[in-house]
Amino acid sequence: MTDPVRDLTTLDEATARLLTVAGTLDDAALAEPSRLPGWTRGHLLSHLARNADALLNVVAGRPMYASAEARDADIEAGAGRPAETLAEDVRLSAARLATALSEVTDWEAVVELRNGVTDRLARVPFRRLVEVELHQVDLGAGRELEDLSPEFTDAENAFLADRFTGHPDVPPLLLRPAGSPALTSGRAPAPGEEPLTVTGAPADLLGWLAGRRAPAGLRTDGGPLPALPPL
């Protein structure tokens, strides 16, 4: 169940970890490739700063980004800045968003995100938490999916399973992360069709659903593991 107050506390902790890591990366380290194809570590930090400002727009009832092109241009423009400047941008933008979220009085308000997606304002802290946690792993600076808390991993697996629910290009799925609740996803099964069962460690399942890891640690029953469409 969504709990924005809890998520805000967890977000503060995750942001503090991110800022600690960002403070250890010098200009040379930021120019190195991240784990996301085509992006350096500098691109990741630039994205995290602009994402905080974009979510600040959402909280204020403004469009999240002026356009997809403007979003990409802003990330690119900020990626090559000095390490100290980038880290400070991440810190200040995160602080602006935290202040705005601390002043929310109606968590049930419906807000618009990218590409016309709508959600309850109560989900914004968790959405930001996902950005901070997964992109810290994407930095390739010491944090792995296995280091994420079980609570976060379970919540994100459930969130991603829900996002793929009903997708015509994803077969019916029964996801069984070890030690965590089972999840369903994919399109509705045809009459007589059994879902594909996917079993494995929660971190491996998260890596597959989020497009972060080859699914070598997952097992299937009922057919091969499908390639998931982009989120």
Side-chain angles (χ1 to χ4, degrees):
M1 180 176 292
T2 301
D3 183 343
V5 175
R6 176 201 61 204
D7 290 340
L8 283 175
T9 298
T10 307
L11 175 57
D12 286 344
E13 296 167 353
T15 300
R17 287 193 297 270
L18 172 66
L19 293 173
T20 297
V21 171
T24 68
L25 301 175
D26 59 16
D27 292 354
L30 288 181
E32 293 175 351
S34 74
R35 291 174 172 174
L36 291 186
W39 272 14
T40 65
R41 289 178 174 137
H43 282 94
L44 276 177
L45 292 187
S46 182
H47 163 62
L48 282 165
R50 299 292 69 78
N51 172 261
D53 285 340
L55 290 175
L56 180 61
N57 286 336
V58 168
V59 174
R62 299 186 293 266
M64 188 170 181
Y65 295 102
S67 67
E69 294 76 14
R71 170 189 177 272
D72 294 345
D74 285 344
I75 293 170
E76 187 66 38
R81 290 175 294 171
E84 289 185 5
T85 303
L86 263 174
E88 184 70 354
D89 191 12
V90 174
R91 185 185 71 81
L92 292 175
S93 58
R96 289 192 293 268
L97 177 60
T99 297
L101 290 171
S102 72
E103 296 171 351
V104 169
T105 58
D106 181 12
W107 288 112
E108 296 305 310
V110 176
V111 294
E112 184 171 342
L113 302 162
R114 291 182 68 194
N115 303 320
V117 172
T118 59
D119 204 348
R120 293 162 51 232
L121 186 53
R123 294 287 288 173
V124 169
F126 180 75
R127 285 178 175 272
R128 174 61 179 178
L129 177 63
V130 171
E131 295 285 331
V132 171
E133 289 285 51
L134 291 187
H135 285 321
Q136 188 172 337
V137 174
D138 293 335
L139 282 172
R143 192 162 174 82
E144 304 294 341
L145 292 175
E146 285 78 8
D147 297 319
L148 302 174
S149 74
E151 294 78 13
F152 171 80
T153 299
D154 285 351
E156 177 63 353
N157 278 338
F159 180 72
L160 292 171
D162 184 65
R163 287 191 65 175
F164 287 118
T165 295
H167 197 295
D169 296 330
V170 180
L173 298 173
L174 176 61
L175 309 175
R176 293 189 175 278
S180 299
L183 304 163
T184 58
S185 191
R187 60 173 171 79
E193 183 181 18
E194 294 294 327
L196 173 69
T197 299
V198 182
T199 306
D204 286 330
L205 183 64
L206 174 57
W208 175 58
L209 290 173
R212 258 48 180 204
R213 176 181 293 179
L218 299 177
R219 302 179 302 280
T220 62
D221 181 11
L225 195 66
L228 295 174
L231 287 168

